[in-house]
Amino acid sequence: NSRFSDVDECANAFKIFATAFAANAEDAPKSLQMELIELQCKDELQEKFKNSALVDFYANLRGDFPLLVRHAREVLCMF
């Protein structure tokens, strides 16, 4: 079980990154929960999320959601 613990941790990070509007904020790290909830409340951003590439979406969030942007960068750096 502990053999795949890193994979489980990465899976949650990927889920938040790729499906930010469907992700359960309670499952997110505490440091991201408030920004994730705030993001999910913004309908105009949800529309942009649907119509943009993930990289472009997070690049345009810069000042408003610094912790989510940092999270996105960390996920992208895995590749």
Side-chain angles (χ1 to χ4, degrees), residues 7 10-11 13 22-23 29 38 57 66-67 69-71 73:
V7 174
C10 289
E38 190 176 332
F57 174 77
L67 298 176
V69 171
R70 186 178 77 202
H71 175 77
R73 287 181 184 154

Side-chain angles (χ1 to χ4, degrees), residues 1-15 78:
N1 289 338
S2 64
R3 181 175 164 187
F4 295 105
S5 63
D6 289 341
V7 174
D8 290 338
E9 187 177 314
C10 289
N12 192 37
F14 292 140
K15 182 177 181 182
M78 293 180 195

Side-chain angles (χ1 to χ4, degrees), residues 46-60:
Q46 186 171 11
E47 195 62 33
K48 287 181 182 180
F49 186 82
K50 289 178 186 176
N51 297 320
S52 302
L54 287 173
V55 173
D56 296 334
F57 174 77
Y58 285 104
N60 290 322

